[in-house]
């Protein structure tokens, strides 16, 4: 068996200086990139954000992506009193996405522990790593394989534990930096599409030589 993961293209994901306007005057920015659907766990993320905002008011949240549940979750956020803390950007051009993620202090992957999520390589994890971002996610098999020491792993579906791990990273800049560097080097040397594409070529070469 040959596993080929969806590695990021580093010529697209460029490191750059943060753009502080996305923090909306707050000290920290929490970033999410991905589909806005039921299995992505944005409802769980909002519960974690609610927990955080009940303790402090220095965290802004940027949610980038579109999907079937976008309007539902925007309403849920407003109903939870989070409208001032959470920005839903929807689908955006690549440069805006990169501007936001480069500004984020911590990135998150609140995917729920379904069978598909457990076994899928999530592009957002690789993209966070390519931009030197520490991650908080639930403890899923493929997510842990991809991120390793780039991430903290919350107890599955515990929104309080997820929030506490975010708080820990926000309050520990050197830890964030170390985790981000680890992830960047892992992508650079092991997981980028430059490396993963070679596996795909090798796989097809092995299959086709028998024909």
């Amino acid at each position: 068996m040959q596993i080929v993961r969806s590695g990021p293209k580093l010529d697209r994901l460029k490191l750059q200086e943060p753009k502080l306007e996305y923090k909306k005057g707050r000290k920290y920015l929490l970033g999410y990139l991905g589909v806005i659907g039921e299995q992505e766990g944005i409802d769980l993320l909002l519960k974690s954000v609610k927990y955080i905002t009940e303790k402090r008011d220095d965290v802004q949240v940027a949610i980038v992506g579109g999907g079937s549940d976008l309007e539902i979750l925007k309403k849920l956020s407003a109903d939870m009193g989070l409208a001032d803390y959470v920005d839903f950007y929807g689908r955006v051009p690549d440069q805006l996405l990169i501007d936001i993620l480069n500004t984020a202090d911590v990135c998150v992957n609140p995917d729920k522990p379904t069978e598909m999520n457990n076994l899928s390589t999530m592009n957002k994890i690789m993209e966070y790593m390519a931009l030197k971002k520490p991650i908080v996610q639930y403890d899923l098999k493929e997510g842990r394989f991809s991120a390793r020491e780039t991430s903290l792993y919350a107890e599955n579906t515990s929104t309080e534990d997820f929030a506490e791990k975010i708080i820990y990273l926000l309050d520990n800049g050197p830890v964030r930096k170390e985790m981000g560097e680890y992830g960047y080097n892992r992508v650079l040397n092991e997981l980028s599409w430059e490396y993963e594409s070679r596996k795909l070529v090798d796989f097809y070469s092995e299959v086709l030589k028998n024909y």
Side-chain angles (χ1 to χ4, degrees):
M1 178 184 292
Q2 176 66 63
I3 297 174
V4 180
R5 293 181 166 81
S6 179
K9 296 187 70 175
L10 297 178
D11 58 353
R12 170 177 169 261
L13 295 162
K14 298 291 189 182
L15 292 166
Q16 63 183 42
E17 290 299 311
K19 297 196 172 182
L20 299 183
E21 60 263 32
Y22 299 111
K23 294 191 175 186
K24 303 294 181 69
R26 304 191 198 276
K27 185 174 182 179
Y28 300 110
L29 183 66
L30 191 66
Y32 170 87
L33 165 65
V35 175
I36 312 297
E38 194 279 330
Q39 70 182 15
E40 281 73 30
I42 306 300
D43 56 332
L44 300 180
L45 176 61
L46 292 175
K47 290 179 182 178
S48 295
V49 172
K50 182 68 174 177
Y51 178 92
I52 292 168
T53 59
E54 287 174 348
K55 294 177 175 290
R56 56 202 294 166
D57 63 359
D58 60 352
V59 183
Q60 192 71 17
V61 183
I63 297 178
V64 179
S68 58
D69 283 10
L70 178 59
E71 294 305 318
I72 293 169
L73 290 163
K74 286 169 71 173
K75 183 179 185 303
L76 177 61
S77 176
D79 290 346
M80 293 173 70
L82 296 174
D84 289 341
Y85 290 96
V86 180
D87 296 307
F88 288 87
Y89 287 89
R91 292 186 181 276
V92 301
D94 273 3
Q95 188 55 57
L96 179 54
L97 179 157
I98 291 166
D99 288 347
I100 293 170
L101 290 187
N102 269 294
T103 306
D105 298 283
V106 174
C107 287
V108 294
N109 175 29
D111 284 344
K112 295 178 178 179
T114 65
E115 184 175 359
M116 188 196 83
N117 286 345
N118 193 48
L119 298 176
S120 298
T121 303
M122 298 302 175
N123 288 338
K124 57 181 171 278
I125 293 293
M126 303 289 195
E127 291 171 337
Y128 297 158
M129 293 165 70
L131 294 174
K132 295 189 176 183
K133 300 303 169 183
I135 302 164
V136 175
Q137 60 182 316
Y138 290 116
D139 195 1
L140 305 183
K141 180 178 180 179
E142 188 64 19
R144 182 179 277 274
F145 175 87
S146 299
R148 295 188 183 172
E149 295 173 34
T150 317
S151 183
L152 298 182
Y153 301 91
E155 178 185 346
N156 280 342
T157 70
S158 171
T159 57
E160 186 171 314
D161 189 35
F162 199 92
E164 286 291 350
K165 285 180 166 53
I166 291 170
I167 290 169
Y168 170 78
L169 288 180
L170 294 178
D171 290 339
N172 288 277
V175 176
R176 294 200 309 271
K177 180 176 174 58
E178 182 178 352
M179 290 170 66
E181 291 287 350
Y182 174 91
Y184 179 73
N185 287 321
R186 177 157 163 71
V187 166
L188 196 65
N189 298 311
E190 300 176 64
L191 295 176
S192 73
W193 185 239
E194 177 185 353
Y195 290 92
E196 290 296 317
S197 61
R198 293 175 192 169
K199 294 181 184 178
L200 187 61
V201 171
D202 290 345
F203 172 76
Y204 277 116
S205 297
E206 184 67 25
V207 171
L208 294 174
K209 76 179 183 180
N210 297 318
Y211 288 90

